[in-house]
C-alpha cells in the first residue's frame, strides 16, 4: 500500500480510453463497477465535447459479481454493435475489475462470432502501467491489429506516396493542448511541402490505418504516446521515424532537419535551411524576443521545471538555451523512461529529479526558491503556497488546458505561445523595480479594514459566526445588506436569524 | 419489470441499465470538510484516486485530510499483510495529522479481494489509539451520494448512548483513549435542560449555514435539536439514547435510518425532505406532529417564501423537466418543481428505497394530482442510452443530468443542469428555496440572454443521432 495524495498520470484504462475514443467510430466497453466511468465526464467537460463519449460501462454490481460477467459483457458488446454501428469495439477492464480475473479474451471471442464490428480486448496490465504507457500500448495494439489483417488480406499499400508524406502519431483526446498542436503540425508540414498521410488516433477511422505504410516517415511529437507504434512501423515496414518534439525554436529546427535527412535518404532532394532561417529570424517572434531588450531581464533568473518527459525536457532546453534562464532543477514523473530524460537535459540544468511523489518536488521547490516554476497543476498550487509564479506546461490536464483560443505548444506558433507563457510568469522588468521601490501593490488589507469598519449595530456572536462562514468575496456585501435590512426593520442586534431573514428578504 | 404498489399510482420500473453516476467514494469530498477533525483514508486503486483528483475536481492542497491507500500488486495478490500495511499508513497519518478519527473508505477493490476492514479496524484502533470507522462506500452496492449513507451508518454505531452508559465504556476499550476523545463530558452539555420534548437527532451532512437555518426554523416551533449526525467534530457526535427521535435531511440515507432504528432503537420520523417551501413546511409539520407540538405560522412562512420566489417560478411554469438520475435528490426536487408549475415525465434514480422515501413519494403523487399534471414515470437504475432516446422524443425544456451528458445534450439544443450542483449547493429549508430555482432557472435565463446569438443545434446532422 502506498499513501497517495496526487497522481501525475492516471490509471491504465484512462490511457486505453483516450486512444479508443480519439478514433472516429470506435466504441469502448468498460467492464467496471458504477462510478469507474468518469472518463466520460472528463472528456465531456474538459474537451467541451459535443458528442456523447463513445464509452459504455457494462456495470459490475453485486449480482454480476455473483453470476459472472460473461453474459452481460457480451450482451453489451452486441448491443452497442447494433445501436452505434461502430467499426471497432474495444473492451477494457479497470484496476478493479481486472482482479476478478475473468476471461475477457474469451468474451471477446464469443462476441466476435455475432458482431458486425471488430472486437478487441485492450491488452494492458492495470497494476504495472500508467495512463501514458497504456495509451502507447493500446495505440500500437490497434494499429498492429489492422495492419496484420491488411497483410493477410493482401490489401497493404505496396509503395510510398509519390510526394513526401508523414503520419503524425499520438495525437489524442484529453492530451495536453493536443488539438492545437495537431493543427500547428499540419500547418508546419504544409509549409514544408509534406503531405499529411494520417493523423492518428485523433479523428482517424480504423479503416485508414492500413494506409499508414504509404507515408515516408512517422512523426512522434510526444514520446509518451506513439513511440511504440512508430517503432513497430519502423521494424515491420522499414518506415523511419522522427521523434524530436518540435517545441521551441531550436528543437523545431532540429526536428525539421531530421525530417529533411529522412526524406533525402529516400530520394527526395529537399533543403529546409532557408525555411528554418526565414522562420527563425523574421516570421517567428520567439527568436527575436530572445534577442530583444525584454529578454535581458530574464537572464540568470532561476527556474524549476517539472512535467512529463516531452514537455519538461523541451522547456528545460528552451529556458536554458533560448532565454538564458537558469534551470536549477529539471524533473519528470515519467519514471519508466527516466534514462532518456536524464540524457536529454544533461548540461541544461543543475539538478535532475525523477519522481512521481509531488511532495518531493514541492520540497525541492521550497528549498530552491526559484523565481518561477514551469510544472503541472500541482506545482502551480505549490507555487501559490510559496508565492512563486508557475506556468503550467504539462499534464495532468485541467480545464485551463483546453482554451477556446489557439494555444499550440509545438512549431513556430507554439514557440511564440511559450515565450508569452514564460514571460508572463515572471514578475517583470520595470514592474520588478517598482515593486522594490514601493514595497508591493497589494492593498487588499487596507480595503478589508474599510469594509469592516465598526457600525452602530450590535453583531451578536452567532450572527458574527455565520457572517464569517460566508465566503470572503461576498462577505462585505452580505454584511452591508444585513445591516440595511436590520435598520429598515428597526433592529439593533444582529443574530444569525436576522442575517438569514435579510438574505431571504433580499432574495440573494 | 414493472411493479405497482397498492396505494400509489406512481409507476415504478427498474431498467437495470448501463448508467453513469459518480462513485460513492465522492462523499469524502464533502464529509472531510464537514467533520473538521477527521481523516478519510480511501483504500482503493489508482482508478479511485484519479477519480477524486480529477472528476470530482477535489484537488489535494496544503493540508489534506484525506488520502488514498493505493493498493498495489502485492496487496492484490495477498503477498503483503493488510494489517501491517494499514498500520504503517495510519501511524503515519497519526504522526502527520493527528485526527480525532480515521474513516476507512472501503472500495470495490477491497470488496473483491475480501479485505476484512471491519475485522482489522478494532485491533488497529486499540493499537494506535485513534478511533477507526469503517464505511464500505463501494460502487458494487451503492451509487454516488449513498457513500455518505455508509459513513453515517457506521458513525451512528459510534454515538454515545448516554453520559454514564456502560455500553459506551465497552465500546471504548481504553479509558485513556476516551479521555483524549471526549475532552468534555458529552451528554450533559449537549442536552439542553430547557427541552420539553424527547431528544431529536437530525441526520445528514449539510453545510453549517444550513444547519443553523434549520435550527432556527425548528426553534421557532419550540423544538430543540439535541444532536447532529454528523457533527462538526467527531468528538461531538450526538448522544443517541434509546427512544430518541431522529429525522433525515437527505434522501439517500436509508441505511443510516435503518441503523438508527434497529441498532440504536431510535424512532425515525418519515417525512418529505425540507426542499422547497412546500417540503420544508411538511417536514417541520411532521416533526411537530410527532413531538405533539402545535405548529405556529407555517402557512404564512410558506406563503411568504412562495412570494419571494415568484419571479423565478414564473420562468419555470409550464415547462417540462426530465431527471436522468444521479444523486437521489431527484424525487424531492421533482416534487418541488411540479409544485412550481413544471411537468415531469420521467424521474430516473440510481436507487429507490420506497420505505425511507415513502412520505416523499406520497407527497409527489399528491402534488401532481393537485397541480393537475401527469404522474412521472419512476425509473430505477435507468439505461442512459434509452433515456437519451426518450429525451429526443420528448424534447423537454430542461434535463437534470450527470456531468457526462450535459454538453452533448446542450449541443443538441436541450438545456441542462448538472445534478451534482444540487449535491453541493445549499438547498434545504425555506431560506434556500430560491437557491434551488436559481440553479434550475439558470439555463433558461442563459437562453433568454443569448436570444440574439442564434443557433440551437451545435452538431452537424451526420452525428446528431449519436
Amino acid at each position: 500500500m502506498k499513501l497517495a495524495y496526487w497522481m501525475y498520470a492516471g490509471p491504465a484504462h484512462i490511457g486505453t480510453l483516450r486512444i479508443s475514443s480519439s478514433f472516429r467510430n470506435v466504441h469502448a466497453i468498460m467492464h467496471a463497477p458504477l462510478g469507474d466511468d468518469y472518463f466520460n465526464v472528463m472528456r465531456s467537460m474538459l474537451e467541451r465535447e459535443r458528442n456523447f463519449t463513445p464509452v459504455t460501462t457494462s456495470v459490475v454490481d453485486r449480482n454480476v459479481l455473483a453470476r459472472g460477467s460473461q453474459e452481460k459483457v457480451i450482451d453489451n458488446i452486441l448491443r452497442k454493435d447494433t445501436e452505434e454501428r461502430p467499426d471497432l469495439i474495444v473492451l477494457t477492464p479497470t484496476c478493479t475489475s481486472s482482479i476478478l480475473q475473468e476471461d475477457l479474451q474469451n468474451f471477446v471471442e464469443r462476441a466476435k462470432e455475432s458482431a458486425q464490428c471488430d472486437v478487441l480486448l485492450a491488452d494492458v496490465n492495470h497494476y504495472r502501467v500508467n495512463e501514458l504507457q497504456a495509451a502507447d500500448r493500446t495505440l500500437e495494439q490497434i494499429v498492429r491489429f489492422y495492419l496484420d489483417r491488411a497483410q493477410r488480406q493482401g490489401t497493404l499499400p505496396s509503395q510510398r506516396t509519390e510526394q513526401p508524406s508523414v503520419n503524425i502519431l499520438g495525437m489524442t483526446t484529453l492530451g495536453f493542448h493536443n488539438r492545437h498542436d495537431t493543427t500547428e503540425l499540419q500547418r508546419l508540414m504544409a509549409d514544408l511541402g509534406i503531405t499529411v498521410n494520417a493523423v492518428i488516433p485523433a479523428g482517424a477511422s480504423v479503416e485508414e490505418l492500413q494506409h499508414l505504410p504509404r507515408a515516408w516517415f512517422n512523426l512522434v511529437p510526444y514520446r509518451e504516446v506513439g513511440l511504440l507504434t512508430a517503432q513497430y512501423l519502423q521494424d515491420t515496414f522499414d518506415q523511419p521515424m522522427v521523434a524530436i518534439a518540435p517545441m521551441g525554436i531550436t528543437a523545431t529546427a532540429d526536428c525539421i532537419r531530421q525530417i529533411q535527412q529522412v526524406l533525402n535518404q529516400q530520394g527526395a532532394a529537399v533543403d529546409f535551411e532557408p525555411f528554418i532561417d526565414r522562420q527563425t529570424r523574421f516570421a517567428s517572434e520567439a527568436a527575436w524576443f530572445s534577442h530583444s531588450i525584454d529578454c535581458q531581464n530574464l537572464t540568470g533568473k532561476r527556474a524549476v521545471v517539472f512535467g512529463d518527459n516531452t514537455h519538461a525536457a523541451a522547456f528545460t532546453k528552451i529556458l536554458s538555451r533560448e532565454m538564458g534562464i537558469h534551470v536549477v532543477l529539471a524533473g519528470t514523473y515519467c519514471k519508466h523512461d527516466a534514462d532518456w530524460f536524464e540524457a536529454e537535459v544533461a548540461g541544461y540544468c543543475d539538478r535532475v529529479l525523477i519522481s512521481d511523489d509531488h511532495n518531493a518536488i514541492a520540497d525541492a521547490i521550497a528549498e530552491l526558491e526559484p523565481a518561477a516554476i514551469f510544472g503541472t497543476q500541482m506545482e502551480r498550487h505549490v507555487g501559490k503556497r510559496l508565492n512563486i509564479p508557475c506556468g503550467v506546461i504539462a499534464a495532468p490536464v485541467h480545464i485551463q488546458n483546453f482554451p477556446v483560443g489557439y494555444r499550440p505548444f509545438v512549431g513556430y506558433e507554439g514557440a511564440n505561445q511559450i515565450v508569452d507563457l514564460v514571460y508572463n510568469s515572471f514578475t517583470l522588468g520595470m514592474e520588478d523595480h517598482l515593486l522594490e521601490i514601493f514595497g508591493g501593490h497589494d492593498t487588499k488589507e487596507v480595503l478589508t479594514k474599510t469594509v469592516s469598519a465598526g457600525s452602530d449595530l450590535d453583531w451578536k456572536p452567532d450572527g458574527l459566526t455565520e457572517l464569517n462562514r460566508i465566503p470572503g468575496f461576498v462577505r462585505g456585501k452580505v454584511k452591508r445588506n444585513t445591516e440595511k435590512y436590520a435598520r429598515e426593520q428597526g433592529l439593533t442586534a444582529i443574530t444569525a436569524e436576522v442575517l438569514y431573514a435579510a438574505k431571504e428578504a433580499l432574495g440573494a | 419489470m414493472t411493479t405497482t404498489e397498492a396505494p400509489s399510482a406512481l409507476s415504478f420500473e427498474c431498467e437495470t441499465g448501463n448508467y453513469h453516476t459518480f462513485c460513492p467514494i465522492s462523499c469524502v469530498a464533502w464529509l472531510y470538510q464537514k467533520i473538521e477533525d477527521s481523516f478519510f483514508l480511501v483504500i482503493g486503486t489508482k482508478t479511485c484516486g484519479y477519480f477524486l483528483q480529477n472528476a470530482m475536481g477535489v484537488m489535494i492542497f496544503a493540508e489534506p485530510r484525506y488520502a488514498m491507500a493505493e493498493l498495489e500488486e502485492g496487496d492484490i495478490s495477498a503477498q503483503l499483510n493488510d494489517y501491517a500495511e494499514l498500520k504503517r499508513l495510519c501511524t503515519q497519518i497519526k504522526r502527520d495529522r493527528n485526527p480525532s478519527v480515521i474513516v476507512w473508505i472501503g472500495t470495490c477493490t477491497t470488496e473483491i479481494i475480501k479485505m476484512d476492514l471491519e475485522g482489522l479496524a478494532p485491533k488497529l484502533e486499540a493499537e494506535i489509539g485513534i478511533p477507526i470507522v469503517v464505511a464500505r462506500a463501494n460502487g458494487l452496492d451503492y451509487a454516488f451520494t449513498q457513500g455518505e449513507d455508509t459513513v453515517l451508518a457506521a458513525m451512528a454505531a459510534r454515538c454515545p448512548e448516554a453520559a454514564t452508559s456502560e455500553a459506551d465504556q465497552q465500546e471504548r476499550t481504553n479509558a485513556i483513549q476516551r479521555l483524549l476523545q471526549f475532552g468534555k463530558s458529552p451528554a450533559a452539555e449537549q442536552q439542553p435542560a430547557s427541552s420539553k420534548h424527547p431528544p431529536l437527532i437530525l441526520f445528514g451532512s449539510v453545510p453549517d449555514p444550513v444547519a443553523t437555518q434549520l435550527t432556527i426554523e425548528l426553534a421557532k416551533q419550540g423544538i430543540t435539536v439535541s444532536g447532529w449526525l454528523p457533527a462538526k467534530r467527531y468528538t461531538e457526535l450526538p448522544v443517541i439514547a434509546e427512544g430518541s427521535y431522529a429525522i433525515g435531511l437527505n434522501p439517500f440515507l436509508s441505511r443510516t435510518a435503518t441503523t438508527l432504528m434497529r441498532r440504536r432503537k431510535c424512532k425515525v420520523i418519515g417525512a418529505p425532505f425540507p426542499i422547497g417551501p412546500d417540503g420544508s413546511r411538511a417536514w417541520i409539520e411532521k416533526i411537530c406532529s410527532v413531538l405533539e407540538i402545535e405548529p405556529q405560522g407555517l402557512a404564512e412562512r410558506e406563503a411568504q417564501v412562495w412570494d419571494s420566489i415568484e419571479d423565478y417560478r414564473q420562468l419555470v411554469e409550464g415547462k417540462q423537466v426530465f431527471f436522468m438520475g444521479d444523486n437521489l435528490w431527484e424525487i424531492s426536487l421533482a416534487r418541488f418543481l411540479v409544485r412550481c408549475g413544471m411537468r415531469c415525465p420521467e424521474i430516473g434514480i440510481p436507487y429507490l428505497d420506497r420505505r425511507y422515501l415513502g412520505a416523499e413519494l406520497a407527497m409527489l403523487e399528491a402534488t401532481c394530482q393537485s397541480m393537475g399534471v401527469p404522474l412521472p414515470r419512476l425509473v430505477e437504475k435507468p439505461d442512459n442510452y434509452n433515456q437519451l432516446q426518450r429525451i429526443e422524443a420528448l424534447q423537454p425544456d430542461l434535463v437534470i443530468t450527470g456531468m457526462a451528458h450535459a454538453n452533448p445534450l446542450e449541443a443538441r439544443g436541450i438545456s441542462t443542469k448538472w445534478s451534482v450542483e444540487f449535491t453541493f449547493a445549499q438547498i434545504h429549508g425555506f431560506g434556500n428555496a430560491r437557491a434551488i430555482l436559481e440553479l434550475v432557472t439558470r439555463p433558461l435565463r442563459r437562453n433568454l440572454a443569448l436570444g440574439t446569438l442564434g443557433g440551437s443545434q451545435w452538431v452537424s446532422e451526420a452525428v446528431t443521432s449519436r
Side-chain angles (χ1 to χ4, degrees), chain A residues 1-2 4-5 7 37-38 44-45 50-52 57 62 76 79 95 99 128 466 500 504 507, chain B residues 18 47 53 60 68 70 73 75-76 85 88 111 141 209 212 301 383 407-408 412 418 434 458:
Chain A
M1 269 178 229
K2 190 170 95 179
Y5 293 96
M7 266 176 263
D37 60 347
Y38 54 86
S44 180
M45 297 308 305
R50 300 170 196 222
N51 285 315
F52 293 101
T57 311
R62 210 37 94 168
N76 274 315
R79 189 182 151 191
C95 308
I99 49 178
R128 294 196 187 157
E466 289 307 305
Y500 285 113
E504 259 177 64
Chain B
N18 299 324
T47 302
Q53 176 177 320
I60 298 164
M68 285 294 306
E70 194 185 309
E73 210 169 4
D75 301 302
I76 303 301
E85 290 293 295
R88 183 169 59 78
E111 288 296 313
D141 301 304
T212 310
R301 184 87 176 97
D383 188 281
N407 269 332
R412 283 154 186 76
W418 292 333
R434 194 176 176 83
W458 303 97

Side-chain angles (χ1 to χ4, degrees), chain A residues 1-14 25 33-38 40-42 44-53 56-63 65 72 76 79-80 83-86 94-97 99-100 125-131 356 358 377-378 380-381 385 396-398 466 469 496-498 500 503-504 506-508, chain B residues 17-23 39 41 45-47 49-51 53-55 59-62 64 66-73 75-76 80 82 85-86 88-89 92-93 97 108-109 111-113 115 138-143 208-209 212-213 216 220 232 301 304-305 383 385-386 388 403-405 407-409 411-412 418 430-432 434 458-459 463 466:
Chain A
M1 269 178 229
K2 190 170 95 179
L3 201 58
Y5 293 96
W6 174 260
M7 266 176 263
Y8 285 104
H13 78 273
I14 296 281
N25 212 25
L34 197 67
D36 269 7
D37 60 347
Y38 54 86
N40 298 30
V41 174
M42 290 174 63
S44 180
M45 297 308 305
L46 295 176
E47 291 268 18
R48 235 170 268 107
E49 181 55 54
R50 300 170 196 222
N51 285 315
F52 293 101
T53 304
T56 300
T57 311
S58 175
V59 180
V60 177
D61 59 15
R62 210 37 94 168
N63 283 333
L65 217 53
K72 189 163 188 179
N76 274 315
R79 189 182 151 191
K80 284 300 138 188
E83 285 171 354
E84 311 275 353
R85 294 251 155 252
T94 60
C95 308
T96 315
S97 49
I99 49 178
L100 291 171
N125 181 319
H126 291 258
Y127 284 87
R128 294 196 187 157
V129 301
N130 67 20
E131 169 190 359
D356 57 3
H358 74 281
Q377 290 293 338
M378 181 42 97
R380 190 167 71 89
H381 292 302
R385 247 157 62 204
V397 288
H398 182 274
E466 289 307 305
R469 280 179 185 155
E497 192 175 344
V498 173
Y500 285 113
K503 182 168 173 271
E504 259 177 64
L506 295 163
Chain B
N18 299 324
Y19 69 109
H20 159 78
T21 180
F22 280 142
C23 172
F39 192 100
L41 184 67
T45 58
K46 262 185 184 304
T47 302
Y50 205 59
F51 164 69
Q53 176 177 320
N54 267 314
M59 302 262 241
I60 298 164
F61 302 130
Y66 74 91
M68 285 294 306
E70 194 185 309
L71 298 169
E72 297 172 294
E73 210 169 4
D75 301 302
I76 303 301
L80 297 167
D82 295 340
E85 290 293 295
L86 283 166
R88 183 169 59 78
L89 265 48
Q92 191 184 333
I93 291 164
R97 312 275 168 206
C108 304
T109 309
E111 288 296 313
I112 292 172
I113 63 175
M115 193 183 273
N138 67 76
L140 298 167
D141 301 304
Y142 306 106
D208 295 340
T212 310
Q213 283 169 291
I216 293 171
K220 284 181 188 168
K232 266 170 72 97
R301 184 87 176 97
Q304 174 210 347
V305 175
D383 188 281
Y385 183 87
N386 295 344
L388 292 173
M403 292 173 116
H405 294 109
N407 269 332
L409 282 169
R412 283 154 186 76
W418 292 333
F430 286 118
N432 291 311
R434 194 176 176 83
W458 303 97
V459 280
V463 286
R466 287 249 166 74

Side-chain angles (χ1 to χ4, degrees), chain B residues 9 16 58 81 96 108 215 217 222 230 234 266 311 320 330 343 347 409:
Chain B
T16 322
V58 186
N81 179 281
D96 295 349
C108 304
T215 306
E217 293 290 352
Y234 179 77
C266 283
D311 52 341
Q320 203 177 35
E330 290 81 10
R343 284 169 299 128
I347 303 176
L409 282 169

